[in-house]
Amino acid sequence: MQLTGIHHLTAISAKIRENHRFYTQVMGMRLVKRSVNQDDVSAYHLFYADGAGHPGTDLTFFDWPVPAERRGTHSITRTHLRVRGREALEYWEKRLEEQGVTAPRGITGRDGREVLDFEDLEGQRLSLVDDGGAGFEPTPWERSPVPAEFQIRGLGPIVISVPGITQTEIVLTEALGMRHARDYAHDSAQPNVRVYEMGEGGPHAELHVAIQPDLPVARQGAGGVHHVAFRTPNEEEYHAWTKRLNSLGISNSGEIDRYWFRSLYFREPNGILFEIATDGPGFGVDEDPATLGEKVVLPPFLEPHRASIVASLKPID
């Protein structure tokens, strides 16, 4: 039983209309599911992904009109998006500049890979990373403003910040079965980032843990991240993860059916929210793959309330 990589990452936006424009028109990702937060139906939950909405390509946002994040430790601090090759990074460096998005350091090296760091319009910290063609092959989005060869290939390493590594490492390695692969230095003279691998490893299956005891504790808000989800391939292993967390005394949400995947939530020792999510059934279970994301879709248990839910949502197109 192994986690196989990053499933999705969910962040927070207080400007959802501008968020929709940025991720579809600037970043060239496809809106594959236009839904609501199942625990707060007043808020959109938007899913951006590759052309088919494959697990491992989803960057999602809750529409919450909250103050900006206060940056610090005890938080998820950076999301990497995979592209292939130096040429792709050079394309993106030029494209972001043309779109008024600053990449202050330009293309640089980190952890043996070339990266391009930047932020979205609300300060969401992002990096494009050359994955060297590693990982699964995404489906290009035919209507993307970005040429197929340069489109986002999926999620890359996710970076979290903790003040100390001991308790977090126990959860990652002994509970979740991740492997400590290596350490590297980032904005420090000493190696202060520890890399953990899932499954077969590679940039799509890494969690990077920055050890930063001198930072204040973060306050979650707009421009920040809500949680990261890890992939499990099927419901059999999903149920096994539930039993494992319970057997280890790790407090968790219990199994939750999100309709497009099954979820299990818990927090690591610093309070960072993790999720284990199944690869299926997928976003095509209730929509024609050709028209994903074009209308508001609700899970069956919310359908009786469709009229009131949709009436409260503001247009984003």
Side-chain angles (χ1 to χ4, degrees):
M1 185 174 73
Q2 280 192 329
L3 301 171
T4 58
I6 307 298
H7 186 282
H8 68 267
L9 179 130
T10 296
I12 301 168
S13 173
K15 301 177 180 178
I16 201 66
R17 186 184 181 96
E18 294 88 343
N19 175 279
H20 174 248
R21 187 199 69 82
F22 182 86
Y23 285 95
T24 58
Q25 298 306 309
V26 177
M27 300 308 298
M29 301 175 77
R30 184 183 185 187
L31 178 64
V32 295
K33 192 62 63 177
R34 184 188 305 236
S35 192
V36 296
N37 183 319
Q38 295 181 17
D39 304 307
D40 174 13
V41 298
S42 69
Y44 277 113
H45 189 181
L46 303 184
F47 295 73
Y48 307 107
D50 73 346
H54 286 122
T57 69
D58 308 340
L59 181 58
T60 92
F61 286 86
F62 292 150
D63 166 28
W64 284 341
V66 295
E69 173 197 36
R70 183 182 67 201
R71 293 180 176 180
T73 189
H74 295 262
S75 67
I76 300 169
T77 58
R78 185 169 293 278
T79 302
H80 288 77
L81 303 171
R82 298 185 295 116
V83 297
R84 186 201 296 264
R86 173 81 185 201
E87 186 180 2
L89 288 175
E90 291 174 347
Y91 166 87
W92 277 103
E93 185 175 33
K94 181 179 178 182
R95 178 174 177 79
L96 292 175
E97 181 180 4
E98 291 172 346
Q99 295 289 333
V101 179
T102 301
R105 301 173 63 185
I107 299 170
T108 188
R110 185 164 64 239
D111 187 34
R113 300 183 182 118
E114 287 193 306
V115 298
L116 181 65
D117 297 341
F118 63 103
E119 297 179 4
D120 77 1
L121 73 166
E122 295 181 88
Q124 188 71 230
R125 285 169 283 182
L126 303 168
S127 295
L128 295 164
V129 57
D130 176 10
D131 67 4
F136 55 91
E137 288 298 317
T139 299
W141 179 31
E142 294 179 355
R143 288 186 283 160
S144 174
V146 175
E149 65 269 28
F150 300 138
Q151 286 180 26
I152 305 298
R153 289 168 46 79
L155 294 172
I158 304 301
V159 184
I160 70 173
S161 173
V162 300
I165 192 64
T166 304
Q167 295 302 313
T168 296
E169 184 167 68
I170 289 172
V171 170
L172 297 182
T173 58
E174 298 186 17
L176 300 181
M178 298 186 190
R179 305 178 302 276
H180 173 209
R182 60 190 178 276
D183 296 340
Y184 67 92
H186 179 50
D187 297 332
S188 171
Q190 299 295 325
N192 67 330
V193 182
R194 189 161 289 188
V195 177
Y196 297 88
E197 294 180 331
M198 293 164 269
E200 297 179 357
H204 63 292
E206 291 177 358
L207 183 70
H208 293 201
V209 183
I211 306 163
Q212 298 175 304
D214 298 328
L215 290 184
V217 176
R219 182 192 65 207
Q220 199 168 75
V225 175
H226 189 266
H227 67 269
V228 60
F230 308 120
R231 295 177 67 178
T232 192
N234 53 55
E235 291 202 29
E236 180 182 1
E237 293 200 13
Y238 167 67
H239 296 316
W241 282 112
T242 304
K243 292 179 181 178
R244 180 166 181 77
L245 294 186
N246 288 337
S247 71
L248 294 171
I250 296 176
S251 179
N252 62 82
S253 65
E255 297 184 349
I256 299 176
D257 185 354
R258 296 301 190 194
Y259 195 56
W260 309 297
F261 47 85
R262 314 292 183 246
S263 296
L264 178 67
Y265 300 88
F266 59 100
R267 294 185 185 275
E268 58 81 49
N270 294 280
I272 298 170
L273 186 60
F274 289 167
E275 175 185 352
I276 295 174
T278 59
D279 280 354
F283 294 126
V285 70
D286 57 355
E287 287 191 272
D288 182 339
T291 57
L292 289 175
E294 294 182 8
K295 63 180 182 180
V296 175
V297 175
L298 302 175
F301 79 95
L302 289 178
E303 274 296 339
H305 311 287
R306 169 175 284 275
S308 63
I309 290 172
V310 172
S312 70
L313 298 174
K314 48 189 176 288
I316 59 172
D317 295 311

